[in-house]
Amino acid sequence: MSTTVQQWLDMPREQLDDLYRRAEPGAIPNGDTRGTPIVTGSPLARGYAHFARLFAWQGKVFDMFAEDGSAGVLVNKVTPLSLSFVVAKVYRAPSWLDDRETIVIDYSSTSFFFRAVRDEIREIEPGVYLGKVWLGKTRILDFALEYKA
């Protein structure tokens, strides 16, 4: 886990939101990323992140099929074996947080169980993305993705 992501685990949601609002979408990753869930407002945030990465969610694998890298799909890596489940479409669109361009991870037409979920990510520093998870129009979680090209 990068120093940047470790710092995010200690930030309140408002500070993470400000960081996200100041960022540009950046390049969409193409390949394997390492994920870290961020549970804000808890002294156990580091423990939650470690537990979730071991047993639930390890990140995402992007496959950007558009020649210009503007659209594609991804799968989430889940379970202790990092099995690939839960497909989503990936594209650029306005953020639900601030209406500025973001990278959208859209499950609405690819997953029956997760169709109400939408993720958004922006590149905060090269290869490090801050993400927001929405359930319907309610934001429920933050997360980090680390990508090495």
Side-chain angles (χ1 to χ4, degrees), residues 40-118:
T40 60
S42 171
L44 302 175
R46 290 177 190 272
Y48 291 147
H50 182 70
F51 181 83
R53 185 177 306 125
L54 284 176
F55 296 106
W57 178 73
Q58 292 80 39
K60 301 175 185 293
V61 180
F62 291 78
D63 182 8
M64 304 312 296
F65 52 74
E67 283 188 31
D68 63 356
S70 65
V73 295
L74 67 72
V75 291
N76 284 274
K77 298 182 298 183
V78 296
T79 78
L81 302 174
S82 290
L83 300 175
S84 298
F85 287 113
V86 192
V87 176
K89 292 181 181 180
V90 181
Y91 53 87
R92 294 176 185 273
S95 168
W96 287 355
L97 187 69
D98 62 9
D99 209 36
R100 292 179 49 240
E101 183 177 271
T102 195
I103 300 166
V104 173
I105 300 166
D106 181 356
Y107 301 92
S108 66
S109 65
T110 58
S111 173
F112 177 77
F113 292 108
F114 294 95
R115 67 178 169 230
V117 176
R118 169 184 161 126

Coordinates of all heavy atoms in Angstrom, one line a residue, residues 40-118:
T40 N -14.2 5.8 6.2 CA -13.8 7.0 6.9 C -14.5 7.1 8.3 O -15.6 6.5 8.5 CB -14.2 8.2 6.1 OG1 -15.6 8.2 5.9 CG2 -13.5 8.2 4.8
G41 N -13.9 7.9 9.2 CA -14.5 8.2 10.4 C -14.4 7.1 11.5 O -15.1 7.0 12.5
S42 N -13.5 6.1 11.2 CA -13.4 5.0 12.2 C -11.9 4.9 12.6 O -11.0 4.9 11.7 CB -13.8 3.7 11.5 OG -13.5 2.6 12.4
P43 N -11.7 4.7 13.9 CA -10.3 4.4 14.3 C -9.8 3.1 13.8 O -8.6 2.8 13.8 CB -10.4 4.5 15.8 CG -11.8 4.3 16.2 CD -12.6 4.7 15.0
L44 N -10.7 2.2 13.3 CA -10.3 0.9 12.8 C -10.2 0.9 11.3 O -10.2 -0.2 10.7 CB -11.4 -0.1 13.3 CG -11.6 -0.2 14.8 CD1 -12.7 -1.2 15.1 CD2 -10.3 -0.6 15.5
A45 N -10.1 2.0 10.6 CA -10.0 2.1 9.2 C -8.9 1.2 8.6 O -9.1 0.5 7.6 CB -9.9 3.5 8.7
R46 N -7.7 1.2 9.2 CA -6.7 0.4 8.7 C -7.0 -1.1 8.8 O -6.7 -1.9 7.9 CB -5.3 0.7 9.3 CG -4.8 2.1 9.0 CD -3.5 2.4 9.7 NE -3.2 3.8 9.5 CZ -2.4 4.2 8.5 NH1 -2.0 3.3 7.6 NH2 -2.2 5.5 8.4
G47 N -7.6 -1.5 9.9 CA -7.9 -2.9 10.1 C -9.0 -3.3 9.2 O -8.9 -4.4 8.6
Y48 N -10.0 -2.5 8.9 CA -11.1 -2.8 8.0 C -10.5 -3.0 6.6 O -10.8 -3.9 5.9 CB -12.1 -1.7 7.9 CG -13.0 -1.5 9.1 CD1 -13.5 -0.3 9.5 CD2 -13.4 -2.6 9.8 CE1 -14.3 -0.1 10.6 CE2 -14.3 -2.5 10.9 CZ -14.7 -1.2 11.3 OH -15.5 -1.0 12.4
A49 N -9.6 -2.1 6.2 CA -9.0 -2.2 4.9 C -8.2 -3.5 4.7 O -8.3 -4.1 3.7 CB -8.1 -1.0 4.6
H50 N -7.4 -3.8 5.7 CA -6.6 -5.0 5.6 C -7.5 -6.3 5.6 O -7.3 -7.2 4.7 CB -5.7 -5.1 6.9 CG -4.8 -6.3 6.9 ND1 -3.7 -6.4 6.0 CD2 -4.8 -7.4 7.6 CE1 -3.1 -7.6 6.2 NE2 -3.7 -8.2 7.2
F51 N -8.5 -6.3 6.4 CA -9.4 -7.5 6.5 C -10.1 -7.6 5.1 O -10.2 -8.7 4.6 CB -10.4 -7.3 7.6 CG -11.4 -8.4 7.7 CD1 -11.0 -9.6 8.4 CD2 -12.6 -8.3 7.1 CE1 -11.9 -10.7 8.5 CE2 -13.5 -9.4 7.2 CZ -13.2 -10.6 7.9
A52 N -10.7 -6.5 4.6 CA -11.4 -6.5 3.3 C -10.5 -7.0 2.2 O -11.0 -7.7 1.3 CB -12.0 -5.2 3.0
R53 N -9.3 -6.5 2.2 CA -8.4 -6.9 1.1 C -8.1 -8.4 1.1 O -8.0 -9.1 0.1 CB -7.1 -6.1 1.1 CG -6.3 -6.5 -0.2 CD -5.0 -5.7 -0.4 NE -5.1 -4.3 -0.4 CZ -4.4 -3.5 0.4 NH1 -3.6 -4.0 1.2 NH2 -4.6 -2.2 0.3
L54 N -7.9 -8.9 2.3 CA -7.6 -10.3 2.5 C -8.8 -11.2 2.1 O -8.6 -12.3 1.4 CB -7.2 -10.7 3.9 CG -5.8 -10.3 4.3 CD1 -5.6 -10.6 5.8 CD2 -4.8 -11.0 3.5
F55 N -10.0 -10.8 2.5 CA -11.1 -11.8 2.4 C -12.2 -11.4 1.4 O -13.1 -12.2 1.1 CB -11.7 -12.0 3.8 CG -10.8 -12.6 4.7 CD1 -10.2 -11.9 5.7 CD2 -10.4 -14.0 4.6 CE1 -9.3 -12.5 6.6 CE2 -9.5 -14.6 5.5 CZ -9.0 -13.8 6.5
A56 N -12.3 -10.1 1.0 CA -13.4 -9.7 0.2 C -13.0 -9.1 -1.2 O -13.4 -9.7 -2.2 CB -14.3 -8.7 0.9
W57 N -12.3 -8.1 -1.2 CA -12.0 -7.3 -2.5 C -10.6 -6.9 -2.6 O -10.1 -6.2 -1.7 CB -13.0 -6.1 -2.5 CG -12.8 -5.2 -3.7 CD1 -13.2 -5.5 -5.0 CD2 -12.2 -3.9 -3.8 NE1 -12.9 -4.5 -5.9 CE2 -12.2 -3.5 -5.1 CE3 -11.6 -3.1 -2.8 CZ2 -11.7 -2.3 -5.5 CZ3 -11.1 -1.9 -3.2 CH2 -11.2 -1.5 -4.6
Q58 N -9.9 -7.3 -3.7 CA -8.5 -7.0 -3.9 C -8.2 -5.9 -4.9 O -7.1 -5.4 -5.0 CB -7.7 -8.2 -4.2 CG -7.7 -9.2 -3.1 CD -8.9 -10.1 -3.0 OE1 -9.5 -10.5 -4.0 NE2 -9.3 -10.4 -1.8
G59 N -9.2 -5.5 -5.7 CA -9.0 -4.5 -6.7 C -9.8 -4.8 -8.0 O -10.8 -5.5 -7.9
K60 N -9.4 -4.2 -9.1 CA -10.1 -4.3 -10.3 C -9.1 -4.6 -11.5 O -8.0 -4.2 -11.4 CB -10.9 -3.1 -10.6 CG -11.9 -2.7 -9.6 CD -12.5 -1.3 -9.8 CE -13.5 -0.9 -8.7 NZ -14.7 -1.6 -8.5
V61 N -9.6 -5.3 -12.5 CA -8.8 -5.5 -13.7 C -9.5 -4.9 -14.9 O -10.7 -5.3 -15.2 CB -8.6 -7.0 -14.0 CG1 -7.7 -7.2 -15.3 CG2 -7.9 -7.7 -12.8
F62 N -8.9 -3.8 -15.5 CA -9.5 -3.0 -16.5 C -9.1 -3.6 -17.9 O -7.9 -4.0 -18.1 CB -9.0 -1.6 -16.5 CG -9.5 -0.8 -15.3 CD1 -9.0 -1.0 -14.0 CD2 -10.5 0.1 -15.5 CE1 -9.4 -0.3 -13.0 CE2 -11.0 0.9 -14.4 CZ -10.5 0.7 -13.1
D63 N -10.0 -3.6 -18.8 CA -9.7 -4.0 -20.2 C -10.3 -2.9 -21.1 O -11.5 -2.9 -21.4 CB -10.4 -5.4 -20.5 CG -10.1 -5.8 -22.0 OD1 -9.3 -5.2 -22.7 OD2 -10.7 -6.8 -22.4
M64 N -9.5 -2.0 -21.5 CA -9.9 -0.8 -22.3 C -9.8 -1.2 -23.8 O -8.7 -1.2 -24.3 CB -9.1 0.4 -21.9 CG -9.1 0.7 -20.4 SD -10.8 0.7 -19.7 CE -11.5 2.1 -20.6
F65 N -11.0 -1.5 -24.4 CA -11.0 -2.0 -25.7 C -11.1 -0.9 -26.8 O -10.8 -1.1 -27.9 CB -12.1 -3.0 -26.0 CG -13.4 -2.6 -25.6 CD1 -14.1 -1.6 -26.3 CD2 -14.0 -3.1 -24.4 CE1 -15.4 -1.2 -25.9 CE2 -15.3 -2.7 -24.0 CZ -16.0 -1.8 -24.7
A66 N -11.5 0.3 -26.4 CA -11.6 1.5 -27.4 C -10.1 1.9 -27.7 O -9.3 1.9 -26.9 CB -12.3 2.6 -26.8
E67 N -9.9 2.1 -29.0 CA -8.5 2.4 -29.5 C -8.0 3.6 -28.7 O -6.8 3.7 -28.5 CB -8.5 2.7 -31.0 CG -8.6 1.4 -31.8 CD -8.4 1.7 -33.3 OE1 -7.7 2.7 -33.6 OE2 -8.9 0.9 -34.1
D68 N -8.8 4.6 -28.4 CA -8.3 5.8 -27.7 C -8.3 5.6 -26.2 O -8.0 6.6 -25.4 CB -9.1 7.0 -28.1 CG -10.5 6.9 -27.7 OD1 -11.0 5.9 -27.1 OD2 -11.3 7.9 -27.9
G69 N -8.6 4.4 -25.7 CA -8.6 4.2 -24.2 C -9.7 4.8 -23.5 O -9.7 4.9 -22.3
S70 N -10.8 5.2 -24.2 CA -11.9 6.0 -23.5 C -13.0 5.1 -23.0 O -13.9 5.6 -22.3 CB -12.4 7.0 -24.5 OG -13.1 6.3 -25.6
A71 N -13.0 3.8 -23.4 CA -14.1 3.0 -22.9 C -13.6 1.5 -22.9 O -12.7 1.1 -23.6 CB -15.3 3.1 -23.9
G72 N -14.3 0.8 -22.0 CA -13.9 -0.6 -21.8 C -14.8 -1.3 -20.8 O -15.9 -0.8 -20.5
V73 N -14.3 -2.4 -20.2 CA -14.9 -3.1 -19.2 C -13.9 -3.4 -18.1 O -12.7 -3.3 -18.3 CB -15.6 -4.4 -19.7 CG1 -16.7 -4.1 -20.7 CG2 -14.5 -5.3 -20.3
L74 N -14.4 -3.9 -17.0 CA -13.5 -4.4 -15.9 C -14.2 -5.5 -15.2 O -15.4 -5.7 -15.3 CB -13.1 -3.2 -14.9 CG -14.2 -2.6 -14.0 CD1 -14.6 -3.5 -12.9 CD2 -13.6 -1.3 -13.4
V75 N -13.4 -6.2 -14.4 CA -13.9 -7.2 -13.4 C -13.3 -6.9 -12.1 O -12.2 -6.4 -12.0 CB -13.6 -8.7 -13.9 CG1 -14.4 -9.1 -15.1 CG2 -12.1 -8.9 -14.1
N76 N -14.0 -7.2 -11.0 CA -13.5 -7.0 -9.7 C -12.8 -8.3 -9.3 O -13.3 -9.4 -9.6 CB -14.7 -6.7 -8.7 CG -15.1 -5.3 -8.9 OD1 -14.5 -4.4 -8.3 ND2 -16.1 -5.0 -9.7
K77 N -11.8 -8.1 -8.5 CA -11.1 -9.3 -7.9 C -11.6 -9.5 -6.5 O -11.5 -8.6 -5.7 CB -9.6 -9.1 -7.9 CG -8.9 -8.9 -9.2 CD -7.4 -8.7 -9.2 CE -7.1 -7.5 -8.4 NZ -5.6 -7.2 -8.3
V78 N -12.2 -10.6 -6.3 CA -12.9 -10.9 -5.0 C -12.5 -12.2 -4.4 O -12.0 -13.1 -5.2 CB -14.4 -10.8 -5.1 CG1 -14.8 -9.3 -5.4 CG2 -15.0 -11.7 -6.1
T79 N -12.7 -12.4 -3.2 CA -12.4 -13.6 -2.4 C -10.9 -13.7 -2.1 O -10.1 -13.0 -2.8 CB -12.9 -15.0 -3.0 OG1 -12.0 -15.3 -4.0 CG2 -14.3 -14.9 -3.5
P80 N -10.5 -14.5 -1.2 CA -9.0 -14.6 -0.9 C -8.2 -15.1 -2.1 O -7.0 -14.9 -2.1 CB -9.0 -15.7 0.2 CG -10.3 -15.5 0.9 CD -11.3 -15.2 -0.2
L81 N -8.9 -15.7 -3.1 CA -8.2 -16.2 -4.3 C -8.1 -15.2 -5.4 O -7.7 -15.5 -6.5 CB -8.9 -17.5 -4.8 CG -9.0 -18.6 -3.8 CD1 -9.8 -19.7 -4.3 CD2 -7.6 -19.1 -3.4
S82 N -8.6 -13.9 -5.2 CA -8.7 -12.9 -6.2 C -9.4 -13.4 -7.5 O -9.0 -13.1 -8.6 CB -7.3 -12.4 -6.5 OG -6.7 -11.6 -5.5
L83 N -10.5 -14.1 -7.3 CA -11.3 -14.5 -8.4 C -11.9 -13.3 -9.1 O -12.3 -12.3 -8.5 CB -12.3 -15.5 -8.0 CG -11.8 -16.8 -7.3 CD1 -13.0 -17.6 -6.8 CD2 -11.0 -17.6 -8.3
S84 N -12.1 -13.4 -10.4 CA -12.7 -12.3 -11.2 C -14.2 -12.4 -11.3 O -14.7 -13.3 -11.9 CB -12.1 -12.2 -12.6 OG -10.7 -12.0 -12.5
F85 N -14.9 -11.5 -10.6 CA -16.3 -11.5 -10.6 C -16.8 -10.0 -10.8 O -16.1 -9.1 -10.6 CB -16.9 -12.0 -9.3 CG -16.8 -13.5 -9.2 CD1 -16.0 -14.0 -8.2 CD2 -17.5 -14.4 -10.0 CE1 -15.8 -15.4 -8.0 CE2 -17.4 -15.7 -9.8 CZ -16.6 -16.2 -8.8
V86 N -18.1 -9.9 -11.1 CA -18.8 -8.6 -11.2 C -18.2 -7.7 -12.2 O -17.3 -6.9 -12.0 CB -18.8 -7.9 -9.8 CG1 -19.8 -6.7 -9.9 CG2 -19.2 -8.8 -8.7
V87 N -18.7 -7.8 -13.4 CA -18.3 -7.0 -14.6 C -18.9 -5.7 -14.6 O -20.1 -5.5 -14.1 CB -18.7 -7.8 -15.9 CG1 -18.3 -7.0 -17.1 CG2 -18.0 -9.2 -15.9
A88 N -18.2 -4.7 -15.1 CA -18.8 -3.3 -15.2 C -18.3 -2.7 -16.5 O -17.2 -3.0 -17.0 CB -18.4 -2.5 -14.0
K89 N -19.1 -1.7 -17.0 CA -18.6 -0.9 -18.1 C -17.8 0.3 -17.5 O -18.1 0.8 -16.4 CB -19.8 -0.3 -18.8 CG -20.6 -1.3 -19.6 CD -21.8 -0.7 -20.3 CE -22.6 -1.7 -21.1 NZ -23.7 -1.1 -21.8
V90 N -16.8 0.8 -18.3 CA -16.0 1.9 -17.9 C -16.0 2.9 -19.0 O -15.8 2.6 -20.2 CB -14.5 1.4 -17.7 CG1 -13.6 2.5 -17.2 CG2 -14.5 0.2 -16.7
Y91 N -16.2 4.2 -18.6 CA -16.3 5.3 -19.5 C -16.2 6.6 -18.7 O -16.2 6.6 -17.5 CB -17.6 5.3 -20.3 CG -18.8 5.2 -19.5 CD1 -19.4 6.3 -19.0 CD2 -19.4 4.0 -19.2 CE1 -20.6 6.3 -18.2 CE2 -20.6 3.9 -18.4 CZ -21.1 5.1 -17.9 OH -22.3 5.0 -17.2
R92 N -16.1 7.7 -19.4 CA -16.0 9.0 -18.8 C -17.4 9.7 -18.8 O -18.1 9.5 -19.8 CB -15.0 9.9 -19.5 CG -13.6 9.4 -19.4 CD -12.7 10.3 -20.2 NE -11.3 9.8 -20.2 CZ -10.4 10.1 -19.3 NH1 -10.7 10.9 -18.3 NH2 -9.2 9.5 -19.3
A93 N -17.8 10.3 -17.8 CA -19.1 11.0 -17.7 C -19.0 12.0 -16.5 O -18.0 12.0 -15.7 CB -20.2 10.0 -17.4
P94 N -20.0 12.8 -16.3 CA -20.0 13.7 -15.1 C -20.1 13.0 -13.8 O -20.9 12.0 -13.7 CB -21.2 14.6 -15.4 CG -21.5 14.6 -16.8 CD -21.1 13.2 -17.3
S95 N -19.4 13.5 -12.8 CA -19.4 12.9 -11.5 C -20.7 13.2 -10.8 O -21.2 14.3 -10.9 CB -18.3 13.4 -10.7 OG -18.4 13.1 -9.3
W96 N -21.2 12.3 -10.0 CA -22.4 12.6 -9.2 C -22.0 13.5 -8.0 O -22.9 14.1 -7.4 CB -23.1 11.3 -8.7 CG -23.8 10.6 -9.8 CD1 -24.0 11.0 -11.1 CD2 -24.5 9.4 -9.7 NE1 -24.7 10.1 -11.8 CE2 -25.0 9.1 -11.0 CE3 -24.6 8.4 -8.7 CZ2 -25.7 7.9 -11.2 CZ3 -25.3 7.3 -9.0 CH2 -25.9 7.0 -10.2
L97 N -20.8 13.6 -7.7 CA -20.3 14.4 -6.5 C -20.2 15.8 -6.9 O -20.7 16.7 -6.1 CB -19.0 13.9 -6.0 CG -18.5 14.5 -4.7 CD1 -19.3 14.1 -3.5 CD2 -17.0 14.2 -4.5
D98 N -19.7 16.2 -8.1 CA -19.5 17.6 -8.4 C -19.8 17.9 -9.8 O -19.5 19.0 -10.3 CB -18.0 18.0 -8.1 CG -17.0 17.2 -8.9 OD1 -17.3 16.5 -9.8 OD2 -15.8 17.3 -8.5
D99 N -20.3 17.0 -10.6 CA -20.7 17.2 -12.0 C -19.6 17.5 -12.9 O -19.8 17.9 -14.1 CB -21.8 18.3 -12.1 CG -22.7 18.2 -13.3 OD1 -23.0 17.0 -13.6 OD2 -23.1 19.2 -13.9
R100 N -18.3 17.3 -12.5 CA -17.2 17.4 -13.4 C -16.8 16.0 -13.9 O -17.2 15.0 -13.4 CB -16.0 18.0 -12.6 CG -16.1 19.4 -12.2 CD -15.0 20.0 -11.4 NE -13.7 19.7 -12.1 CZ -12.7 19.0 -11.5 NH1 -12.8 18.5 -10.3 NH2 -11.6 18.8 -12.1
E101 N -16.1 16.0 -15.0 CA -15.7 14.7 -15.6 C -15.0 13.8 -14.7 O -14.1 14.2 -13.9 CB -14.9 14.9 -16.9 CG -14.6 13.6 -17.6 CD -13.8 13.8 -18.9 OE1 -14.4 14.0 -19.9 OE2 -12.5 13.8 -18.8
T102 N -15.4 12.5 -14.7 CA -14.8 11.5 -13.9 C -14.7 10.2 -14.7 O -15.3 10.1 -15.8 CB -15.5 11.3 -12.6 OG1 -14.7 10.6 -11.7 CG2 -16.8 10.6 -12.8
I103 N -14.1 9.2 -14.2 CA -14.1 7.9 -14.8 C -15.2 7.1 -14.1 O -15.1 6.9 -12.9 CB -12.7 7.2 -14.7 CG1 -11.6 8.0 -15.4 CG2 -12.8 5.7 -15.2 CD1 -10.2 7.6 -15.0
V104 N -16.2 6.6 -14.8 CA -17.3 5.9 -14.3 C -17.1 4.4 -14.4 O -16.7 3.9 -15.5 CB -18.6 6.4 -14.9 CG1 -19.8 5.5 -14.5 CG2 -18.9 7.9 -14.7
I105 N -17.5 3.7 -13.4 CA -17.5 2.2 -13.4 C -18.9 1.9 -13.1 O -19.5 2.0 -12.0 CB -16.5 1.7 -12.3 CG1 -15.1 2.1 -12.6 CG2 -16.6 0.1 -12.3 CD1 -14.1 1.9 -11.5
D106 N -19.6 1.4 -14.2 CA -21.1 1.3 -14.2 C -21.5 -0.2 -14.3 O -21.2 -0.9 -15.2 CB -21.6 2.1 -15.4 CG -23.1 2.1 -15.6 OD1 -23.8 1.4 -14.8 OD2 -23.5 2.7 -16.6
Y107 N -22.2 -0.6 -13.2 CA -22.7 -2.0 -13.1 C -24.1 -2.1 -13.6 O -24.7 -3.2 -13.5 CB -22.6 -2.5 -11.7 CG -21.2 -2.4 -11.1 CD1 -20.7 -1.3 -10.5 CD2 -20.3 -3.5 -11.3 CE1 -19.4 -1.2 -10.0 CE2 -19.0 -3.4 -10.8 CZ -18.5 -2.3 -10.1 OH -17.3 -2.3 -9.7
S108 N -24.8 -1.0 -13.9 CA -26.3 -1.0 -14.2 C -26.7 -2.0 -15.2 O -27.8 -2.6 -15.1 CB -26.8 0.4 -14.5 OG -26.2 0.8 -15.7
S109 N -25.9 -2.3 -16.2 CA -26.4 -3.2 -17.3 C -25.6 -4.5 -17.4 O -25.8 -5.3 -18.3 CB -26.4 -2.5 -18.7 OG -25.0 -2.2 -19.0
T110 N -24.7 -4.7 -16.4 CA -23.8 -5.8 -16.5 C -23.9 -6.8 -15.3 O -23.4 -7.9 -15.3 CB -22.3 -5.4 -16.5 OG1 -22.0 -4.6 -15.4 CG2 -22.0 -4.6 -17.8
S111 N -24.6 -6.3 -14.2 CA -24.7 -7.2 -13.0 C -26.1 -7.1 -12.4 O -26.5 -6.0 -12.0 CB -23.6 -6.7 -12.0 OG -23.8 -7.4 -10.8
F112 N -26.7 -8.2 -12.3 CA -28.1 -8.2 -11.6 C -28.0 -7.7 -10.2 O -28.8 -6.9 -9.7 CB -28.7 -9.6 -11.7 CG -30.0 -9.7 -11.1 CD1 -31.2 -9.2 -11.7 CD2 -30.1 -10.2 -9.8 CE1 -32.4 -9.2 -11.1 CE2 -31.4 -10.3 -9.2 CZ -32.5 -9.8 -9.8
F113 N -27.1 -8.3 -9.4 CA -27.0 -8.0 -8.0 C -26.4 -6.6 -7.7 O -26.7 -6.0 -6.7 CB -26.2 -9.1 -7.3 CG -26.8 -10.4 -7.3 CD1 -26.4 -11.4 -8.0 CD2 -28.0 -10.6 -6.5 CE1 -27.0 -12.7 -8.0 CE2 -28.6 -11.8 -6.5 CZ -28.2 -12.8 -7.2
F114 N -25.6 -6.1 -8.6 CA -24.9 -4.8 -8.3 C -25.4 -3.7 -9.3 O -24.7 -2.7 -9.4 CB -23.4 -5.0 -8.4 CG -22.8 -5.8 -7.4 CD1 -22.6 -7.2 -7.6 CD2 -22.6 -5.3 -6.1 CE1 -22.1 -8.0 -6.6 CE2 -22.1 -6.2 -5.1 CZ -21.9 -7.5 -5.4
R115 N -26.5 -3.9 -9.9 CA -27.0 -2.9 -10.9 C -27.3 -1.5 -10.3 O -27.2 -0.5 -11.1 CB -28.2 -3.4 -11.6 CG -29.4 -3.5 -10.8 CD -30.6 -4.0 -11.7 NE -31.7 -4.4 -10.8 CZ -32.4 -5.5 -10.9 NH1 -32.1 -6.4 -11.8 NH2 -33.4 -5.7 -10.0
A116 N -27.5 -1.4 -9.0 CA -27.7 -0.1 -8.4 C -26.4 0.6 -8.0 O -26.4 1.7 -7.4 CB -28.6 -0.2 -7.2
V117 N -25.2 -0.1 -8.2 CA -23.9 0.4 -7.8 C -23.2 1.1 -8.9 O -23.3 0.7 -10.1 CB -23.0 -0.7 -7.3 CG1 -21.6 -0.2 -6.9 CG2 -23.7 -1.4 -6.1
R118 N -22.6 2.3 -8.6 CA -21.8 3.0 -9.5 C -20.6 3.5 -8.8 O -20.6 4.0 -7.7 CB -22.6 4.2 -10.0 CG -21.7 5.2 -10.8 CD -22.6 6.5 -11.2 NE -21.8 7.6 -11.5 CZ -21.9 8.3 -12.6 NH1 -22.8 7.9 -13.5 NH2 -21.2 9.4 -12.8

